Amino acid sequence: MKNSRRQFMILSAAGACTLALNGKVQAQAMVAETDPQAAALGYKADASKVDKAKYAKYAAGQQCSNCALFQGKADAAAGGCSLFAGKQVVGKGWCSAYAKKA
């Protein structure tokens, strides 16, 4: 009986660690410009490559790192975005949902 309880506890701990690490790995995945949601929002990993004719709302200086939806630090190379759950966007990126951080 002790062996089976011990094995259960070890396997339970290992499973919990695996789930926790898996969540962190998924949170670090980057949004691809080809992702359907990203494409619909006109997301570009480099804001300087935004099609200004298609997205007239874009203005120089707008980028993910100074957007209200960006969940990382202002000087971070990448961070989370409330539009792309579980994925990160490039700090120098841009999409049409840009809203200036207050």
Side-chain angles (χ1 to χ4, degrees):
M1 189 107 149
K2 287 184 180 180
N3 284 338
S4 64
R5 184 179 295 158
R6 184 176 296 148
Q7 286 176 331
F8 173 76
M9 295 303 287
I10 291 171
L11 291 174
S12 295
C17 288
T18 301
L19 289 174
L21 290 174
N22 189 30
K24 288 203 178 262
V25 170
Q26 288 179 352
Q28 294 176 357
M30 297 299 289
V31 173
E33 291 180 5
T34 56
D35 179 272
Q37 184 175 358
L41 291 170
Y43 172 76
K44 293 289 181 189
D46 183 356
S48 67
K49 295 182 180 178
V50 172
D51 182 356
K52 294 162 187 74
K54 188 173 181 181
Y55 299 102
K57 177 182 160 183
Y58 172 77
Q62 292 180 346
Q63 57 187 28
C64 293
S65 62
N66 60 26
C67 176
L69 302 171
F70 189 68
Q71 298 169 342
K73 293 183 179 179
D75 60 346
C81 175
S82 57
L83 297 176
F84 305 104
K87 295 183 181 179
Q88 292 189 339
V89 294
V90 178
K92 294 186 178 187
W94 183 87
C95 83
S96 63
Y98 175 84
K100 187 175 180 175
K101 193 176 282 188

